[in-house]
Structures are given as structure tokens and as C-alpha cells.
Amino acid sequence: RRHFQLWLNRSAVVGPMVEAILDEEGVPRELLYLSMIESGLNPKARSNVGAVGAWQFMPGTARGFALTMSWWVDLRRDWEKSTRAACRYMTRLHDEFGDWSLVRAAYNGGEGRVRRQLRDNGHDNFWDYRLPRQTLDYVPKFIAAARIGSDPTAYGFSVPEGDPLSLEKLVVHDATDLALVARCAGVSERAVYDLNPALLR
């Protein structure tokens, strides 16, 4: 409960931006909750197997969707770019599997596993598939998160009052100290760092 309230609080800040991108990319808005259960809507999240960002991209998948990872930057931690990459990935999975439960299972447990289950079972009913426990739990967790998120008070959660994330993009043409950017913008260094989680240096 404590964790989920924190996730709801974060959703009040980043949710409107993420949902706008989901709309633009033509995928269901409720996929916001996939990021919620993947990372708690934390762009700096890192799993013990090397998945990074709010959408928990593994390096190979990230490269396949043009998310640069270098000494300077990790675009898996960039809200806009990683969300668009996640949308493209889920659209590709939906084009193949045709079912959003299977998309979520493939996103979590790997498309190869879901492909084999589809082939071996001859149907697309996720609930009858034999998958790892983590993946079997993943779809119900998503459903629970989406239900609670759509009506928090019905489940005893407080509706968060956060200021939705609002930012302007600034193009710099050379290495620039973020402290200087903050000073010129008249905001704190912390604010600039928080708005640019993909910048490692």
C-alpha cells in the first residue's frame, strides 16, 4: 500500500505527459500502469539483470529501438524517448500476438516464450499458458494497478495532488555544465538533474 501510494503520487506528476505520448503513438492509455509495475514510474530504476528506466529496457531491446547507451547518456532513462520506444515495441508485439494480455506477458517474460506457448497451445488465452511465476503474476498485477489507478479512493488510496511535469527543451551544441543551465534558467541544479535523468555526465 505504501509503495502504491508513492506510485500514484509519481503518476500525478508524469502521468499526463506519458498518457499524451501513448495517445500520440496510438496505444491504450492504461499502458501507463505497465511502467508503474515495471519500475514504480522511476526513470532511474535498475533491475538486478540490467534492465533500466521507467520501462525497464534491457540493453539489446533498447538498441533495437534506438535508445542510446553510452558513458554520457542512457536514453532508457529519458521519459519521452523511452516511452515512445516502449510504444513502438508494444505495437510490434500487438501486431504479432493480437492480444494485450499476451503483449504484457511478452514484454515481461520475453516474446519467444509467448510465441512458443501460442504455438504449443493453439490458442491465445494467457490464463491457460505455462509461463514463469513472475510472468503469470505480471498480468494480474497490471490489471490491479489499472483498476486502483482509475479510482484510487474506492480502494482506500488518496488522490494525489501533484503538479504535472512541464518542461521546455533546450538544445546545446557543446558540453555544457548543468549547473550553468540551472543558473541561466533561474532554477535549482536539482531541478535540472531531475528533469534530465538520461544525462549521466
Side-chain angles (χ1 to χ4, degrees):
R1 179 168 289 275
R2 183 171 55 86
H3 289 298
F4 200 83
Q5 185 64 59
L6 173 63
W7 301 349
L8 288 172
N9 296 346
R10 288 178 183 161
S11 178
V13 176
V14 301
M17 179 190 67
V18 172
E19 287 177 338
I21 294 170
L22 297 174
D23 288 347
E24 288 172 21
E25 296 288 337
V27 298
R29 271 187 167 205
E30 68 181 10
L31 291 176
L32 165 71
Y33 298 104
L34 189 141
S35 176
M36 188 178 277
I37 62 171
E38 281 284 347
S39 68
L41 296 172
N42 178 1
K44 295 180 181 177
R46 176 180 291 278
S47 78
N48 57 2
V49 294
V52 169
W55 297 95
Q56 289 292 282
F57 274 100
M58 293 292 286
T61 309
R63 280 189 288 272
F65 289 92
L67 294 176
T68 302
M69 295 160 288
S70 71
W71 192 74
W72 291 99
V73 67
D74 189 341
L75 292 183
R76 295 177 294 176
R77 294 168 44 151
D78 181 284
W79 269 114
E80 181 181 359
K81 290 180 173 64
S82 68
T83 300
R84 291 193 187 281
C87 289
R88 290 194 305 274
Y89 184 32
M90 287 186 278
T91 298
R92 195 191 83 197
L93 292 173
H94 191 264
D95 288 345
E96 178 176 356
F97 298 122
D99 178 89
W100 286 109
S101 289
L102 296 187
V103 168
R104 291 186 280 270
Y107 194 95
N108 175 258
E111 52 204 91
R113 278 194 177 112
V114 172
R115 206 174 281 125
R116 282 190 297 278
Q117 287 294 308
L118 188 59
R119 182 192 65 224
D120 295 347
N121 289 286
H123 63 73
D124 63 0
N125 185 358
F126 163 81
W127 305 102
D128 290 337
Y129 280 8
R130 289 177 174 232
L131 294 164
R133 171 55 51 194
Q134 178 187 349
T135 304
L136 290 174
D137 290 344
Y138 188 81
V139 172
K141 281 181 184 178
F142 172 87
I143 293 168
R147 285 191 180 171
I148 295 169
S150 67
D151 190 4
T153 55
Y155 298 91
F157 290 93
S158 61
V159 177
E161 294 180 16
D163 288 329
L165 186 62
S166 175
L167 51 90
E168 293 179 44
K169 293 181 182 178
L170 171 68
V171 177
V172 293
H173 299 286
D174 202 352
T176 306
D177 193 325
L178 291 184
L180 175 61
V181 173
R183 206 159 51 246
C184 292
V187 298
S188 70
E189 279 185 56
R190 181 81 262 154
V192 174
Y193 281 108
D194 289 346
L195 289 171
N196 293 279
L199 300 181
L200 306 180
R201 290 169 184 84

